[in-house]
Each structure stands twice: as C-alpha cells, then as structure tokens.
Amino acid sequence: MPDVQSNKALRSATVADITVTGRVTDATTNEALAGCSVVLKGTQRGTTTDANGNYRIVVPNANATLVFGFIGFVSQEVPVGSQTTINVSLKSSASDLNQVVVIGYGSTTKRDMTGSVKSIKSGEFNRGIINSPEQLIQGKVAGVNVTSASGEPGSAQNITIRGPGGVRTGSTPLFVLDGIPLDNSSTGGATNPLTFLNPQDIESVDVLKDASATAIYGARGANGVVLITTKKGKSGSATFNLSANWGISKIARPLKVFSADEFRQQVTALGGVLDDKGGSTDWQKEVSQTALTQNYNLSFSGGAEKLTYYGSFGVQDQQGVIKNSSLKRYTGRVNVSQRFLEDRLTVDVNLTASNTVNQRPPSGGSLSSGVGVAIIGAAISTNPTYPAYDADGNPYQYQGGVNPLITLKLEKDITTVNRVVGSISPSFKILPSLVYKLNLGVDNSSSVRDFQSLANAVPQQDGRLQSIYMTNRNTLIENYFTYTLNQSNHNLTALVGHSYQKFFIQNREWSINKFPITPVEPIYNPSLGQDLTLANNRPAGYAIENELQSFFGRVNYQFRDKYLLTATVRADGSSKFGGNNKYGVFPSVSAGWRLSDEAFLKSGPFTELKLRAGWGQTGNQEIPAKITQALYTAQVSGTTSYPLDNTTSYPAGISYTRLANPDIQWEVSSQTDAGLDFALFNGALSGSVDYFRKVSNKILLEVIPADPIQPAATYWTNVPNMSITNQGIELDLNYRYASQSGFRFDIGGNVTFIKNVVRNSPYSVITSGSAQGSGLTSATVNGYINDQPIGTFFLKEFTGFDDKGISTYRDVDGDGIVTDKDRIAAGSALPTKQYNINTSLAYKGFDLVFNFNGVSGNKVYDNTANSNFYKLRLSKGLNTTAEAIQYPNESINNSAPVSTRFLKNGSFFRLNNLALGYNLSPKLLGINRWVNAIRLSVTGQNVFVITNYDGYDPEVNNDRNINGISSYGIDYLSYPKARSVIFGLNLTF
C-alpha cells in the first residue's frame, strides 16, 4: 500500500504545473534583453521578458523545453527538468552577414550571397507617418535614392537603384510582393500604387542591386528589384498586438512671401499699383492646417506544429497640411501556412485587401476644369492686404481674382481605390532533395476618380463633373523545381522554372456640364447636369493587354563552404515587342571567395571577409503597349491626308499615324559589380564596399524618320550605339557597442559616389522638362545631351542686366544673337553623392533613434520662382518673395524666361527621423498576467533640413515629362512637406 501511495504522489508531481522564472541577458555585455520571447516548445504558450529581462512562465511538467528567441541573437532551447529558475545568456548572431536574405524564388544568407543585396528588417525601418514601402527604407541602402517628390498624403515616391538608365522607360525598380511581381502602372489617380500596403504588415524589404542578383527577373530587372515580404506566424507561440499612433503635422518650411506691411512698402517703392484692402492675411496659413493623423493596427499570429498564421487589420486617417487633402486607408491581411502528408506538402496562402480614399486640393496638376487656380500658386501670389473673410465670416469676394478659400470650397478631386492581392503557393517535396512549387497570384484593383466643380454665382462658374474609371488586373502562374545536393565539400542548389503573367488595364471616362446651384453635389447625382453635348463631354477610354512568358534557371555552387559560384539565366517573351524579337535572353554569373575561412586568415582580425564579383545582363520593357504595331487614322486634315490636286481639298481615307516595327526589342543593361563584405572585432564592425558599372544600351526612343517622305511623323526604335552609363562606389558601415552597464550604441551609415553619362545620342539634345507659368509655355528645362548626365539642365546662361535693366544671357556661339542655340549644360538634377547616417542608443527600457540623409552635387530648377517671384509681377500687385527685388537695377518691365537665373543648389542634409521609446514593464502596473509588453514612443519626422534651397523643400521632382521623356529636378508649386510629431502606444498580449 505505501508503494501505491508513493507512485501516485510521483505521478501527481510529474503532471503538476511548474512555475519557471528567470532572467535573459546578452552573453557579451550581460545586459538585460527586454521583449525576448520565451515559448514552451511545441505549443502556443509563451511570454516575453520585461524591461529588466525577467520572465515568468508556467509549464505542465518537468519534461517541458523552453525556447528563448530574440532578434539579432542565436535562439536557445533549455529543458526544464527539476529547475524552477532558468537564467539564459543569448549570443549575438555576430554580423549582418548571417542574416537571411530573400532573393528571387528563394532565400539564402548574406554570408552566401555573391551578388549585391541589402536586406532591411522591420526593426530597422524608418518611423513616422508612412504611406508606402519606399519610405521605410529611405536612407537605409547604399546606391538607392528615394525622393519624396511631394508632401501630399499618398503621393508618388521616386526611387532609383544605382541611377536611371533609360530615356522613355523610367527608372522605377520592379516590386515583388510575396512572390508576385507587381505592375508599375497606376491603379487610379495620382497616388503611389504601393499605398495600398500597410507598413505594419511588412517583415522585410530586400533590395537586389546588381545584375547577378536581378537577372532572375530578366527583362524587368534593369532598374533593380525590391522584394517585399510580409509577416508570417511562428509555431509554438501566439501573440496579439494592438498599436495606435497619433500624429500632428504642420508645413515645415513656408515660403517667405512678403507680409501685408512689406508688400505695401515694396509695391509703392516700385511705383506699382497698390490695391490695398486694409487686411493683413497670411494666405499660406489660410489654405493650410494643422493636420492630424490617426493610425490603428491590430494583428494576431501564432501556430502549432503544422499550421502557422498571421492576420491584421489596419486603419490610417491622414490629413494633409493643405486643406481638403487627406488619405484614408483600410487594410486587412491573412497569411497562412499549412503542412500536410508528413510535411511533404506545404501550402502558403497570402491575401490582402485594401480600400484607399485620397482627396486632393485643387492644384497645378489637377485635371479639374472650372476656376482652374492652383491653391498653392494662389496662396503665394494673392495680395496679402486682401482680407480672407468678410464681416459675416464668409470668404471675402474681390474683383480681379478669386479668393483661394472659395476655390477650396468649390473644387474637389477624390479617388477611391479597391485592391485585392492574393496568392496560393503549394510546394511538394518529391524527393528529400527535390521540391516542386506552384505559385498562383492575382492582383486586382478598381478605382474611380471624380473631379467636381460646384456651380457658383460669384464668381460665376457652371458646375461640372468628370469621372474616370480604371481597372488593373495582373495574374501570375509560375511552376519551378528546386534541387539541393549536400555532399561533404560540395553544396549545390539548382532552380528551373516557367512563369506566365498577364496584365489587363482598362480606362473609361465621361463628363457632364452645367449643374445648377443646389445643395446636392454632382458626385452624388450626375443626372442634374444639363449639358451632354459631345463637343464638351465626349466619352473616352482605352484598354491594354500585355503578356509575359518566361523560362528561368539558377545554379548556386559552394566548394568547401568558401568558394562560391552563381549562374543565372532567364528568357523573357513579351507581347510588347516586335515579331522578330519576341524573346530576350538575360544571363549572369558571379563568384565569391570567403577569405576568412582560409588558414592564412584564421588568426586575423576578421570575423568575416568575403570577396565577390559578378557580371550580368538585364532588360527594361517599361514602354507603351502596341508600339510595334501600325496605327491608322480616318481623320481628314492637312497632316493625315493628301490632296489630289493643287487645292486644299483633302479626300477621305485611311492613313498611317504610326509605322509597324517588328524589330523593336528590350533595352539591355549590362552590369559589372565587384564587392567586399567584412566583419571585424567579433562582428562589432561590419560593412561592405562595392564598385559597379551599369551600361544601358539599345535605348528605346520615338524618333523622326530619316526619310522625309513618310506617312508618319515619328516611329519607335532601338537607337544603335546610344548608351547610358552609371558607375560608382558604395560604402556601407555599421558599428555596434554594448557596455557592461546595459548601455547599447549602434551607428551605421552609407555613402554612394555615382556618375551618370549619356553617350552616342543621335540628337544634339533630347528635350524634356516643360516649364509652367505665364510666358513660359513650350519652354523646356531638361535635356539629354551627349557626354552629360541624365537630368541635365539645358538653359540659357543668365549674366545680369543691361543698362535698361533687361536680362542678358551669354552668347555662346558669338553670332551676336542669343537664341536656343546658346543654351548650355548647366548641371544635373542627379546627385553625385548620397549619404545616410543611422544611429540608435539604448539603456534599459529606453531607446533613441536618429536617421539622417542627404545628397550633394545636384541642382533644382525653381519653376515656382521663375513663374511667380520676379519684379514685374510684384509691380502688378501680386505677392512675391524678396527674390523678386534682389537686383536693384532690374527693370519692372523685365520678363523672366527660362534660364540659369532660377537654377539652384539642391544639396541638403536632413534629420529625417528622431524617435524616443520606452518599454514599460506590465509588472509595475500589475497587469503582467494579461499584457506581455507595453511600449510608448514619440517620433519626430522631417525634424530639420540644412540647405541653401529657398523653396518648400529641395527634395522635389515634379513630373514635367514631354511625350513620355522623363524629366528631373523641377519644382513647380510643389505640395509642401510637413514636419510631424507622432505619439505611439503598442501593446502585446
């Protein structure tokens, strides 16, 4: 009987819950690791450490095993046994060379890469009000220049990787979301097509820079590739996260236009006509606002042995700093992974849905008719002596102009986009070393953009509604096999596959005029419009269908884990290209040598040291569809038909407007890269150095036929011998320090020296960059010129004034007359140096992060000043800045044509992010049973910028292309950037 009782007691002790406590620290510094996950292996039960590294967890029995994991450290498993106190010291993962990097159709480690790749994890992302993935990595990657072209919520971001390489094909890289290559076409409106993504859902952004890394994407890899990977669940733990952020934003740098008193003084001094209404109005302040942003995100993730999941819901409501501008985004995401058939079959499902509503104020880029006054242009030019409101509190109405507040009231531009992106990717392990994967993806968006002008009596205007409907559908089917071989000194991974992608874009638009003055807005009842004549409201639209079929393969080989070789080839066939060149083949090869594993360096200072070099070719297909095919017209005019006699009578018929060209093929970019990756002092100092040379040729252009007797004025072709070269050096460094006292210091940065040049162009200049403003119609700013960079400003050189106060310009050819032939290459919008500094400090529960970025060697054309800030306008009663009167000897009758007078230095140095955070211990609040972690934060965004540029911001690039030829570095009534403060709360359960 005693034996029975003792056995019962033993069994009872075995199955009884055991409470385990302890502390998790950094093995090197003995510093507490706050937020470290502690999970009961094989279950979803887990917790996280508090600000002091302490944890408490209940396990079912002595056979349990605890798994300790923390980002940047090697995870550790500890059996519980008879222990009730378990203290763990985690070892650092040494350097960035050990981090996992996502590459095309797979992943590897930075240590094993032979190409130039940079991986940015979620913990390294920029903070603040973020609308698209490009903003997350701005300043984080050498060779990558991200330009926020506008401060408008949801505005497009310009991103180039190692410089632009095309004239008509742009410089936007290929974005791949969870294995689905996205279409760079707009999904409706003027917003960034990537705005639909919730930044909180993104786990990592991997940038593939050189051809050996991008060649797996063949014809779309010339501008680089950006791989976006969203978050996934993890087996053995379940987490629930709730975050909230509240932001306050104001215009960072208002233009210093004259105040009312200064205006009165300056107009009088010039002898101009002063229309003084007795007011004192800051019109920039009147049309702007203190903008509020709210951002709420809820996510949950976890998993069992064979199933992992991640789900999220997000809401962002962002006001712009200009009234009547906003972005509202609603997102939902589900990522699920399930294993079947004894883990031989794995099915991954990714699904995201979003709704974005973007409202824009009337601006220079608006397609809206009606008043047609740009709000920003009106705010900087309107007479400041005019009052903003009358005695009754209504917007003041005055003769000879329109109160900007009335324009805000009457005009509306609103776009709604619904987008769903989903994929299912089953992979089956045919053999232990052979895996087949199928990737089915769909990216479908639909949008409606409404331009509305309300009918009004004073000032008089008829109401109008114009609506644009767009559908953008992208479908993908991929099949590929991956074979791995590991035999002592030999490691081999081989990939072969097929891809088919189809794009369908449809646009339809209509309009209606003459709405009566009613409380009902035309958007909500178009039937109230009274004018449907085709002359004013002809419906329009188009549809485009493109297909891309590809075959690809890659081999990675390692000998003794220190000699590395990668070879890639992809053959792409596109419906965009001519029948004689449907397919293009894009190869690459690269090699690496891990010197730190050699015997002669084993005792050296290097933790890691790797040499790598590669060469490859990639393509660019970002051109209009159908340009290889002939285009006809039945229009009867002097340019589309031929008279049969000496009269001007043109007979009806069909004629060419574009000739067929079956020989058109891809632009091809050949790139060479040589790099060195290193880590010293046990990984405390790590970095990389790269030299690159990228040459783009077979440049696609729309050119004038050599034969003047042609039915079409222009045709598309690959220009022989023309090339665009980008070459430079990238340096990336990171240093980490941690003291015994618990203080941690990280400082990292990168610098890029880059030179761009155009050679063998068939034209003396290819013009682009159309100027805007009174008297500037048809004027151009940019030029593609031989032996000059892309983005060169091709302008008359301003030399001062003659004795009558009229502008003078340099007579370059000495013929006594200054014409367009005397224009000069006056610098480029492309920076020659890009530099970034990223610093973080941490002590116990506190952390502080600084992110700086800057560029130099570039110029900006201030089209805003060119069209608004000169003496003639001031004398006519329009407001200006002091720039208009900087030359006392200038005549008030002097005009201001396009010239170097308004070309300015675009260099800047910016504190982009400043974030202070504190991890509050739930135990101190007595809620640690329910809450695992609490984080409080405050972030400053666009804290300051040091620059000589006197516009709203030097980081600007209005799209002023001419016939699709890209423009660079032009500032015209740009939406001002904001300075923001964001308060955050994050709870983990």
Side-chain angles (χ1 to χ4, degrees):
M1 190 69 177
D3 290 338
V4 174
Q5 290 177 342
S6 62
N7 288 337
K8 286 183 178 180
L10 179 61
R11 286 195 301 270
S12 177
T14 302
V15 299
D17 287 345
I18 300 172
T19 299
V20 180
T21 60
R23 189 168 185 260
V24 182
T25 58
D26 184 328
T28 303
T29 65
N30 202 34
E31 175 190 358
L33 293 180
C36 174
S37 65
V38 184
V39 178
L40 178 62
K41 186 177 181 180
T43 73
Q44 299 184 34
R45 186 184 302 178
T47 186
T48 57
T49 57
D50 62 18
N52 297 314
N54 297 317
Y55 71 93
R56 179 182 180 275
I57 188 171
V58 177
V59 300
N61 53 55
N63 296 324
T65 298
L66 295 179
V67 181
F68 298 83
F70 194 71
I71 296 174
F73 291 79
V74 179
S75 61
Q76 191 175 140
E77 296 185 5
V78 180
V80 173
S82 60
Q83 304 174 88
T84 56
T85 300
I86 299 177
N87 296 320
V88 173
S89 296
L90 297 183
K91 295 181 179 179
S92 171
S93 57
S95 77
D96 290 337
L97 299 178
N98 292 312
Q99 68 181 205
V100 175
V101 176
V102 178
I103 57 176
Y105 306 99
S107 63
T108 184
T109 64
K110 182 72 182 290
R111 186 173 186 266
D112 293 331
M113 284 296 301
T114 56
S116 183
V117 179
K118 179 70 173 183
S119 182
I120 306 298
K121 306 302 182 184
S122 58
E124 305 170 88
F125 289 162
N126 290 324
R127 305 172 190 181
I129 301 172
I130 304 294
N131 290 321
S132 65
E134 305 100 315
Q135 294 172 288
L136 295 172
I137 63 171
Q138 185 176 25
K140 301 290 186 179
V141 185
V144 177
N145 188 23
V146 178
T147 302
S148 301
S150 165
E152 183 180 359
S155 63
Q157 304 288 310
N158 296 320
I159 175 171
T160 57
I161 299 176
R162 293 184 169 178
V167 177
R168 290 292 304 261
T169 51
S171 60
T172 304
L174 173 68
F175 290 93
V176 181
L177 174 63
D178 289 330
I180 301 178
L182 302 179
D183 183 15
N184 285 334
S185 301
S186 172
T187 54
T191 57
N192 188 330
L194 296 178
T195 300
F196 80 99
L197 273 173
N198 183 353
Q200 297 287 334
D201 289 338
I202 299 176
E203 178 64 30
S204 66
V205 177
D206 296 84
V207 182
L208 314 184
K209 296 189 287 185
D210 72 339
S212 65
T214 63
I216 195 67
Y217 289 103
R220 292 173 292 177
N223 292 328
V225 180
V226 178
L227 306 177
I228 303 170
T229 304
T230 57
K231 295 178 179 178
K232 307 294 190 292
K234 297 180 180 179
S235 297
S237 64
T239 61
F240 180 82
N241 185 271
L242 178 64
S243 66
N245 294 278
W246 302 271
I248 302 172
S249 306
K250 299 191 73 173
I251 293 180
R253 289 158 43 97
L255 295 184
K256 296 179 180 179
V257 297
F258 290 128
S259 67
D261 290 339
E262 292 170 335
F263 180 79
R264 293 183 180 100
Q265 178 185 349
Q266 296 300 337
V267 173
T268 303
L270 289 177
V273 179
L274 178 62
D275 182 12
D276 190 347
K277 294 289 193 297
S280 180
T281 305
D282 182 344
W283 286 109
Q284 289 183 94
K285 186 175 181 180
E286 291 297 332
V287 304
S288 65
Q289 61 185 352
T290 298
L292 304 178
T293 297
Q294 302 177 72
N295 195 322
Y296 304 99
N297 289 279
L298 180 154
S299 66
F300 51 94
S301 64
E305 183 180 355
K306 296 181 180 295
L307 172 68
T308 60
Y309 61 88
Y310 172 86
S312 73
F313 299 94
V315 177
Q316 178 166 307
D317 186 352
Q318 178 186 357
Q319 294 178 341
V321 292
I322 301 298
K323 291 178 178 177
N324 290 5
S325 64
S326 64
L327 175 70
K328 296 181 180 179
R329 177 177 61 201
Y330 307 89
T331 61
R333 170 170 287 277
V334 175
N335 292 342
V336 178
S337 180
Q338 174 74 61
R339 289 181 290 172
F340 303 93
L341 305 178
E342 298 179 341
D343 297 343
R344 296 185 67 181
L345 174 64
T346 302
V347 180
D348 296 316
V349 177
N350 301 308
L351 179 65
T352 184
S354 69
N355 169 264
T356 57
V357 181
N358 181 230
Q359 182 172 353
R360 311 182 71 205
S363 65
S366 173
L367 299 178
S368 176
S369 60
V371 175
V373 177
I375 286 298
I376 296 169
I380 62 177
S381 300
T382 300
N383 188 329
T385 70
Y386 289 177
Y389 299 93
D390 60 23
D392 298 325
N394 298 314
Y396 185 87
Q397 295 179 349
Y398 46 83
Q399 299 296 320
V402 178
N403 187 329
L405 298 176
I406 295 178
T407 304
L408 280 171
K409 179 181 177 181
L410 297 178
E411 304 294 314
K412 179 181 286 186
D413 175 358
I414 188 166
T415 302
T416 302
V417 181
N418 294 306
R419 189 168 184 178
V420 176
V421 182
S423 66
I424 181 169
S425 304
S427 58
F428 183 72
K429 188 178 294 184
I430 301 173
L431 299 170
S433 57
L434 181 64
V435 177
Y436 161 74
K437 187 166 186 175
L438 169 66
N439 187 19
L440 300 175
V442 176
D443 176 6
N444 190 83
S445 67
S446 59
S447 68
V448 56
R449 185 178 186 186
D450 291 315
F451 301 94
Q452 174 182 274
S453 296
L454 296 179
N456 197 59
V458 181
Q460 193 281 327
Q461 73 173 29
D462 294 332
R464 175 176 167 81
L465 174 64
Q466 179 182 359
S467 295
I468 302 174
Y469 295 86
M470 178 173 280
T471 298
N472 190 323
R473 186 166 56 251
N474 164 13
T475 55
L476 173 74
I477 303 175
E478 292 181 323
N479 298 270
Y480 56 96
F481 295 86
T482 304
Y483 175 76
T484 57
L485 174 67
N486 297 310
Q487 289 185 350
S488 60
N489 292 329
H490 303 278
N491 296 311
L492 175 74
T493 301
L495 168 78
V496 63
H498 170 267
S499 175
Y500 173 79
Q501 196 163 12
K502 184 175 182 178
F503 308 93
F504 175 75
I505 302 172
Q506 184 180 34
N507 175 285
R508 293 173 291 175
E509 57 185 272
W510 57 269
S511 59
I512 184 170
N513 284 349
K514 291 187 178 179
F515 284 82
I517 300 176
T518 70
V520 180
E521 295 185 33
I523 287 176
Y524 303 115
N525 193 351
S527 67
L528 296 177
Q530 300 167 8
D531 180 4
L532 282 172
T533 58
L534 288 179
N536 296 323
N537 300 288
R538 180 180 293 276
Y542 60 85
I544 298 172
E545 194 171 78
N546 295 316
E547 296 177 85
L548 186 69
Q549 178 172 243
S550 310
F551 302 89
F552 55 88
R554 179 176 61 214
V555 174
N556 294 315
Y557 172 71
Q558 297 181 10
F559 178 63
R560 294 184 177 177
D561 199 33
K562 57 185 177 181
Y563 306 111
L564 316 173
L565 179 67
T566 301
T568 305
V569 65
R570 180 165 178 139
D572 280 315
S574 173
S575 61
K576 284 188 175 183
F577 291 91
N580 296 338
N581 285 299
K582 281 295 183 185
Y583 279 86
V585 178
F586 305 94
S588 78
V589 62
S590 59
W593 179 17
R594 194 170 294 123
L595 289 162
S596 54
D597 286 357
E598 296 288 359
F600 59 84
L601 278 179
K602 281 288 187 181
S603 59
F606 293 98
T607 309
E608 296 280 355
L609 183 65
K610 181 178 66 176
L611 277 172
R612 49 183 168 76
W615 172 89
Q617 290 186 329
T618 48
N620 195 334
Q621 66 151 13
E622 297 303 317
I623 56 173
K626 304 178 182 178
I627 61 169
T628 62
Q629 303 173 26
L631 186 65
Y632 308 91
T633 183
Q635 181 181 354
V636 178
S637 70
T639 59
T640 59
S641 185
Y642 300 92
L644 298 180
D645 49 32
N646 291 327
T647 69
T648 57
S649 176
Y650 299 97
I654 296 176
S655 62
Y656 284 102
T657 58
R658 182 177 64 219
L659 298 176
N661 186 350
D663 295 325
I664 292 179
Q665 58 180 298
W666 331 83
E667 286 185 352
V668 175
S669 173
S670 301
Q671 186 170 171
T672 302
D673 184 279
L676 176 70
D677 299 326
F678 59 88
L680 297 92
F681 315 124
N682 199 30
L685 177 65
S686 61
S688 62
V689 181
D690 277 84
Y691 165 79
F692 64 89
R693 178 179 172 85
K694 180 172 68 171
V695 181
S696 301
N697 49 35
K698 298 183 180 178
I699 302 298
L700 283 160
L701 278 181
E702 188 176 13
V703 301
I704 300 172
D707 183 355
I709 309 300
Q710 287 280 354
T714 62
Y715 74 102
W716 281 83
T717 188
N718 295 97
V719 180
N721 302 321
M722 183 178 178
S723 68
I724 298 172
T725 301
N726 290 277
Q727 67 177 358
I729 295 175
E730 300 168 351
L731 174 62
D732 196 328
L733 286 173
N734 188 72
Y735 176 72
R736 298 170 179 168
Y737 170 78
S739 70
Q740 296 289 338
S741 63
F743 173 73
R744 176 174 292 179
F745 171 67
D746 287 7
I747 182 168
N750 59 75
V751 61
T752 304
F753 303 92
I754 184 169
K755 182 180 179 180
N756 177 286
V757 65
V758 177
R759 291 193 175 93
N760 300 320
S761 170
Y763 299 102
S764 58
V765 59
I766 303 172
T767 57
S768 183
S770 61
Q772 282 190 289
S774 177
L776 301 179
T777 304
S778 300
T780 60
V781 175
N782 289 139
Y784 292 73
I785 308 167
N786 278 322
D787 301 319
Q788 296 292 332
I790 284 180
T792 290
F793 295 103
F794 192 55
L795 305 165
K796 295 177 184 177
E797 184 178 359
F798 174 69
T799 56
F801 304 94
D802 62 18
D803 55 2
K804 296 180 181 179
I806 304 302
S807 298
T808 59
Y809 307 94
R810 183 157 73 98
D811 181 8
V812 176
D813 59 12
D815 64 358
I817 304 173
V818 177
T819 65
D820 279 343
K821 293 181 180 180
D822 295 299
R823 292 191 178 216
I824 64 168
S828 173
L830 301 184
T832 56
K833 290 182 284 294
Q834 306 163 25
Y835 48 92
N836 309 279
I837 302 171
N838 307 299
T839 304
S840 65
L841 309 171
Y843 182 70
K844 295 187 176 179
F846 288 94
D847 57 82
L848 183 65
V849 175
F850 302 82
N851 290 323
F852 298 90
N853 66 289
V855 299
S856 63
N858 62 306
K859 295 186 177 180
V860 174
Y861 192 80
D862 193 350
N863 192 175
T864 301
N866 190 177
S867 59
N868 291 278
F869 302 150
Y870 54 95
K871 195 173 288 187
L872 178 60
R873 284 178 61 87
L874 181 60
S875 69
K876 291 183 176 181
L878 296 168
N879 203 4
T880 69
T881 65
E883 185 174 354
I885 58 170
Q886 71 178 112
Y887 301 108
N889 59 329
E890 181 181 7
S891 169
I892 63 171
N893 296 315
N894 187 40
S895 61
V898 167
S899 74
T900 58
R901 175 180 176 179
F902 302 100
L903 186 63
K904 301 177 180 179
N905 189 341
S907 302
F908 68 86
F909 181 68
R910 187 193 310 275
L911 176 53
N912 197 29
N913 277 119
L914 173 61
L916 175 65
Y918 179 66
N919 296 308
L920 180 63
S921 172
K923 187 175 182 180
L924 294 177
L925 303 178
I927 57 174
N928 55 304
R929 290 182 60 189
W930 306 281
V931 180
N932 290 331
I934 303 173
R935 179 174 172 80
L936 304 172
S937 64
V938 58
T939 301
Q941 190 173 12
N942 190 21
V943 180
F944 67 76
V945 59
I946 300 172
T947 181
N948 291 325
Y949 186 65
D950 53 4
Y952 279 123
D953 196 277
E955 190 180 40
V956 64
N957 184 24
N958 292 130
D959 183 10
R960 304 302 309 152
N961 77 83
I962 298 176
N963 295 326
I965 297 173
S966 301
S967 64
Y968 295 87
I970 299 175
D971 183 3
Y972 180 68
L973 300 178
S974 300
Y975 192 111
K977 286 192 172 65
R979 178 173 295 119
S980 305
V981 177
I982 303 99
F983 302 93
L985 170 65
N986 190 291
L987 302 174
T988 302
F989 301 90

